[in-house]
Every structure is written in C-alpha cells, then in structure tokens.
Amino acid sequence: MSQTSDVINPATEEVLRTVTHTDEAGVDDAVARARSAQRAWARLAPADRAAALRAFAAVVDAHVEELAQLEVANSGHPIGNARWEAGHVRDVLQYYSASPERLSGKQIPVAGGLDVTFNEPLGVVGVITPWNFPMTIASWGFAPALAAGNAVLVKPAEWTPLTTIRLGELAVEAGLPADLFQVLPGRGSVVGERFVTHPDVRKIVFTGSTEVGMRVMAGAARQVKRVTLELGGKSANIVFDDCDLEKAAATAPYGVFDNSGQDCCARSRILVQRSVFDRFMELFEPAVKGVVVGDPRVEGTEMGPLVSKPHWESVAGYVPDDAPVAFRGEAPSGPGYWFPPTVLTPAPDDRTVTEEIFGPVVTVLPFDDEADAIALANDTPYGLSGSIWTDNLSRALRMSRAVESGNLSVNSHSSVRYTTPFGGFKQSGLGRELGPDAPLSFTETKNVFIAVEEGN
C-alpha cells in the first residue's frame, strides 16, 4: 500500500494536494531506468545535450509564473521572491547548457607519447533537496549534473515537493528523455536512504542539516560514494564603526529575515563595533519594524510565514517569554505559521548565538576591535556565509581572509550567484556548487597515455 502525505499551504493551513510517496522498490526501478537513459544521453553529441538543456530552460521560462504561484502556495514565499526563484532555475539551466561543449579535458606533455584526459560522467546522481528553496537548490544539482552527461534522481523535501515535481514534468515536455531526470517524492528514511545505499547511484548531492549530512556522508563512505554537502550556517554580519552605518542598519533585516530566516546563509549573528552599537540599534529598530510581513500572494510582501507548524514550534522555542528581546517587527494573527522578525541581545554563550534557529530571529552582540570580531565570527562549527561592513579596503581584505567562511560579502549581503562557486567551511559542508567548474564535480577524470614510436 502506497504511503501518502498532505502538502499544506503555510499561510492558510489548508491542504493543497496529497502526494504519493516513492517506496524502496520504486527507487530501484527508477535507478535502473535512469542507468539506461544515462548511457544514451552520454552518447549524444555535446551540442545535442546543450540544445536539450536550452530547450528545458525555454520551457521553464514559459512557466515562470505558474512555478512562482505554486511556490507561494506550497512554501509561503512572497510572490516577488518566488518569481525570482523560478527565473533563477531557467538561468541556471541556460548557464550550464554551455558546459557540454566546454568539458574539454587536457593534453599533458609527457615523454614517449601523448597524454590526454577525459571528463567522464559518473552515471546516476541522487539529489536530496531541502524545503527552504525547493526549486532553486534542486537546479544547482540537476543542471550541472545533466550537463556533464549524467542522469539525475531528485528527492524533494516532504513539506515542499510541488515545484520540483512540476519541473520533472516540464523536463519531459521540453524533450528530455523521460527516465533521465526523475523526481521521486518520499521520505528521507526511504528514498534518501536508498540513494545512499544503492550501488548504482554514484554521487549524492545533499542540502540540509549538518546532523543529517553527517549520516549521508557516513553511509556514502561504505561504497566510497562521492558527496557534495551544503549544510548548516550561523553566519556573522560584522559592522565596523567606519562603514555607512545607515546603509548597514537598513539592509541588515534583509540579510537575515529573507525567506523568514529559513536560509542557511542568513546573517543570524550581527556583530557591531562597541563604539557605534547604540547608534546601530537606533537605526536597526525602524528597519526591522518596516519589514512587510503578510500574505505572500500580495505584491510588496517581503516576508511570509514559516514553512510548517513543527518548524514554527522549533523557532518559538528559542524565544521564551523571558528572552532578551530588544524589539520585534509585526506579523499577522489568525491562520498560518506566522512569526515576527525578532531581535535579541543575549549573552555571547547563549544558545541563540550558537545554534542555527532557521527562523526570523537575529542576535546582536558588540565587539571591540578586528581581533575580537574575528574571534567572535569564527567561534562556531559553521562557516557558510557572512558580511563585512567597512569603508577601509585594507580592513575589508584582512577580514575577508581571516573569517572562516566559504562566501563573504563586503558592504552587501549577496551570497549566491550561479556564475560563482558556493559552499561552506567546517561543518557547513563539503565541495562546491555553482560557478563554471560545477559540472566537473559530476565527472571522473580519466587519464589516457598513447605511446608514440620514434620515427626514422
């Protein structure tokens, strides 16, 4: 008997759809079909694979509004954000459609012959995606993997599967072989676990919690299976006294409250130089209270609800009645998993400073000088993202080299561009996604030496 789950609209608490889960036998069947499709896909001329990915991008482009509305309903993302996300999937496909004709390998000078390398596809790749950015993060895995000649199986998060399921349908509509790119909704303990244990799934791309990422990595080790892991974060937004303080305060809410704080790159620790701490807080309060929280279907809404009731309860647990709340923004009452933007000023060792809350809750702490800021910023097992606010170029470069993080922004909160590599230090992950080299992480390097006889 097939297992199912109801997909809930987090803004209304209404059931959107009932989704049938894939069981272990279904995964095994999908892998077998994907293996066959992958062999045919890899035999295609690179230009033909490129054209197929461009066709996929074009079909996504024609369905941007549909995908956006689906994400609003399933994930509670504001419509403006959701349109950007759907367009981002199109752009990622378009970007990696250039890769099949550019995976050129090398010719290496050697004695006695010719030495060349080939970038061979791995085969079948399993992509396990999170619920916070369902379609965008899926595309970071499937687009470069397909470009490199692989087949891809995607397991979307149980709470937010709808846009990924639709992308699977659009891939077939665009002309991709039906078995080459398959979306398999289901439980992580069933579908995700089988990706890890199945010998014909040669790589796992996992985005999610560090705890689960450790289990994926341990399981993959039994088969020496490749992994890319994008895990937790507790990123710092470091504000020095020589920066544009008004701009730093005005933009800080969007560095942490975007997607209701449900973002592994969220700058959820704001570190402010002590000499300007009070002034920053004066400027920060109206910025926080100005964040527009409400119906995600409405143009101009900047923050929607949390994704689910269990997640709301998890976030609320970090803000008990006696929490050191400096100030809060507004949030709707009534149905929906609403949580107001919340600013805390706790002790440096409080769990709100050290643990990933994954909601619209930010801590603000003072620091004295560069050394103090570096020590505070690096006092975490994570190292994914972060921001540095200063008008001193030398300081910006010193801090950028000293902060242990994979993605840093100076005088901004930008983390992700599909043209540049993305990934974390320490327990924030392993490997890199996006950027021009991403398809290579879905290949094996094959070295071939051809002996050449000396002429007369």
Side-chain angles (χ1 to χ4, degrees):
M1 182 176 171
S2 297
Q3 193 173 31
T4 63
S5 65
D6 290 337
V7 177
I8 307 295
N9 182 326
T12 65
E13 303 184 45
E14 295 171 344
V15 175
L16 289 170
R17 191 183 305 177
T18 299
V19 172
T20 300
H21 287 185
T22 309
D23 59 15
E24 185 172 315
V27 177
D28 290 351
D29 176 64
V31 172
R33 290 184 286 112
R35 284 191 73 196
S36 178
Q38 186 272 328
R39 294 189 192 102
W41 176 247
R43 285 195 299 268
L44 287 179
D48 292 337
R49 293 204 305 273
L53 292 175
R54 286 194 296 273
F56 190 4
V59 171
V60 171
D61 185 53
H63 291 80
V64 161
E65 185 64 22
E66 177 197 345
L67 288 164
Q69 294 291 347
L70 198 56
E71 203 67 273
V72 170
N74 190 177
S75 301
H77 291 189
I79 183 61
N81 296 38
R83 287 186 181 122
W84 180 91
E85 291 159 24
H88 181 81
V89 174
R90 171 202 62 217
D91 294 344
V92 169
L93 280 164
Q94 189 72 26
Y95 181 70
Y96 288 113
S97 72
S99 296
E101 296 170 279
R102 289 168 174 78
L103 290 171
S104 52
K106 296 178 181 177
Q107 181 268 314
I108 302 172
V110 294
L114 173 72
D115 196 277
V116 295
T117 64
F118 298 94
N119 299 308
E120 303 285 9
L122 296 172
V124 178
V125 173
V127 178
I128 303 170
T129 60
W131 48 258
N132 59 329
F133 291 104
M135 56 180 161
T136 55
I137 291 177
S139 73
W140 301 354
F142 69 67
L146 290 170
N150 299 281
V152 181
L153 307 177
V154 181
K155 192 211 87 67
E158 293 164 54
W159 288 341
T160 58
L162 299 187
T163 49
T164 311
I165 291 170
R166 185 65 181 130
L167 284 171
E169 296 166 353
L170 293 178
V172 176
E173 185 178 318
L176 261 66
D179 296 330
L180 184 70
F181 173 51
Q182 301 176 55
V183 178
L184 307 179
R187 297 181 64 83
S189 58
V190 178
V191 180
E193 181 68 21
R194 188 56 181 147
F195 283 3
V196 172
T197 61
H198 199 299
D200 292 327
V201 176
R202 293 309 311 146
K203 178 168 182 171
I204 302 293
V205 179
F206 172 82
T207 302
S209 71
T210 296
E211 179 187 11
V212 177
M214 290 175 178
R215 296 208 298 270
V216 170
M217 190 174 180
R222 297 188 187 102
Q223 297 175 12
V224 196
K225 184 173 300 193
R226 282 132 189 81
V227 294
T228 295
L229 304 174
E230 200 273 280
L231 308 174
K234 193 67 177 176
S235 300
N237 176 12
I238 307 169
V239 180
F240 284 95
D241 60 7
D242 61 0
C243 77
D244 181 339
L245 203 63
E246 285 75 13
K247 186 176 181 182
T251 58
Y254 303 97
V256 64
F257 300 138
D258 184 58
N259 199 33
S260 306
Q262 300 168 133
D263 184 349
C264 46
C265 289
R267 277 70 167 171
S268 55
R269 294 180 298 149
I270 303 178
L271 311 180
V272 184
Q273 196 154 19
R274 198 177 301 274
S275 58
V276 293
F277 186 90
D278 291 343
R279 178 58 180 154
F280 176 85
M281 294 298 279
E282 290 173 3
L283 294 165
F284 190 37
E285 183 170 4
V288 168
K289 292 184 174 179
V291 175
V292 181
V293 184
D295 188 341
R297 298 170 298 178
V298 175
E299 302 277 353
T301 294
E302 295 177 317
M303 191 179 116
L306 293 172
V307 70
S308 71
K309 182 65 172 177
H311 188 57
W312 184 95
E313 291 169 347
S314 172
V315 172
Y318 285 93
V319 191
D321 291 341
D322 60 349
V325 176
F327 41 84
R328 280 188 166 116
E330 301 295 328
S333 56
Y337 310 125
W338 305 100
F339 201 95
T342 301
V343 178
L344 305 178
T345 50
D349 60 351
D350 190 81
R351 75 185 191 111
T352 58
V353 179
T354 59
E355 297 178 15
E356 184 176 35
I357 300 172
F358 223 62
V361 180
V362 66
T363 61
V364 190
L365 287 82
F367 69 86
D368 294 316
D369 53 22
E370 281 186 36
D372 192 24
I374 291 164
L376 284 169
N378 291 341
D379 186 19
T380 172
Y382 300 114
L384 186 57
S385 193
S387 298
I388 299 158
W389 288 81
T390 176
D391 284 348
N392 182 318
L393 178 59
S394 295
R395 170 177 278 169
L397 289 171
R398 288 193 302 268
M399 292 296 297
S400 295
R401 298 304 298 271
V403 174
E404 297 167 344
S405 181
N407 310 273
L408 291 168
S409 301
V410 176
N411 297 332
S412 77
H413 298 299
S414 173
S415 292
V416 178
R417 293 178 176 83
Y418 56 82
T419 52
T420 58
F422 176 76
F425 283 23
K426 301 188 284 188
Q427 291 186 27
S428 281
L430 186 69
R432 292 295 180 268
E433 297 181 287
L434 303 176
D437 297 332
L440 291 173
S441 70
F442 296 98
T443 66
E444 294 275 26
T445 299
K446 178 181 288 182
N447 192 75
V448 178
F449 171 75
I450 304 167
V452 176
E453 296 182 3
E454 293 186 16
N456 295 328

